[in-house]
């Protein structure tokens, strides 16, 4: 068993990397098929997605259910243990949202699910997902 000096080392070992926290966030709303996850994460390849899902499954955060049918159908969901990661992911998303709003970096706000509000001028207002379950309305007005 690997030994850690700090709790954050264990945390990063399990949910660190470019995609795992995002996958956990998407699974917070319920069970998803591989194809739905792939479409929801711009820039991730199917190979990397499956690799990340398998690692999350190995670490006990994700369950994988394979249906015996043709074509094959696989669904992923969070375990009880996986749901506990929501607190961490929510804090990461909120912190990232403040960075995006400050304009002090080169990050693209669209990666935090930027959504324009109907009937408003372009870029007048937008929603930012600040956690897996919360959206905040920001306005330039």
């Amino acid at each position: 068993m690997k030994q850690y000096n700090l709790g954050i080392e264990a945390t990063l070992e399990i949910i660190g990397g470019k995609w795992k926290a995002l996958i956990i966030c998407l699974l917070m709303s319920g069970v998803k098929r591989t194809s739905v996850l792939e479409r929801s994460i711009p820039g991730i390849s199917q190979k990397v997605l499956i690799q990340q899902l398998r690692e999350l499954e190995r670490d006990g955060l994700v369950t994988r259910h394979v249906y015996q049918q043709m074509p094959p159908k696989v669904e992923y969901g969070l375990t009880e243990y996986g749901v506990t990661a929501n607190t961490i992911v929510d804090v990461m998303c909120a912190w990232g949202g403040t960075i995006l709003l400050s304009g002090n970096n080169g990050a693209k706000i669209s990666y935090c699910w930027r959504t324009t509000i109907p009937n408003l001028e372009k870029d007048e207002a937008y929603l930012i997902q600040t956690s897996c379950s919360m959206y905040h309305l920001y306005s330039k007005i």
Side-chain angles (χ1 to χ4, degrees), residues 99-118:
I99 291 170
L100 292 173
L101 289 173
S102 71
N104 292 332
N105 69 342
K108 297 176 185 170
I109 206 161
S110 61
Y111 199 67
C112 245
W113 292 279
R114 180 180 181 190
T115 307
T116 56
I117 309 299

Side-chain angles (χ1 to χ4, degrees), residues 48-111:
V48 170
L49 174 61
I50 291 170
Q51 177 186 4
Q52 299 289 283
L53 285 164
R54 294 278 169 92
E55 289 175 15
L56 289 167
E57 181 184 15
R58 177 198 68 209
D59 293 331
L61 278 77
V62 168
T63 61
R64 179 175 181 256
H65 187 266
V66 180
Y67 294 88
Q68 299 301 320
Q69 66 182 46
M70 289 307 272
K73 178 181 174 183
V74 180
E75 291 183 333
Y76 292 92
L78 291 177
T79 62
E80 254 184 71
Y81 178 55
V83 171
T84 65
N86 186 35
T87 305
I88 298 164
V89 174
D90 277 351
V91 170
M92 290 169 62
C93 197
W95 187 71
T98 61
I99 291 170
L100 292 173
L101 289 173
S102 71
N104 292 332
N105 69 342
K108 297 176 185 170
I109 206 161
S110 61
Y111 199 67

Side-chain angles (χ1 to χ4, degrees), residues 11-31:
T11 302
L12 291 173
E13 181 77 24
I14 295 171
I15 66 165
K18 187 173 182 178
W19 307 110
K20 287 183 182 177
L22 185 53
I23 292 168
I24 291 168
C25 186
L26 291 169
L27 290 175
M28 283 294 168
S29 62
V31 173

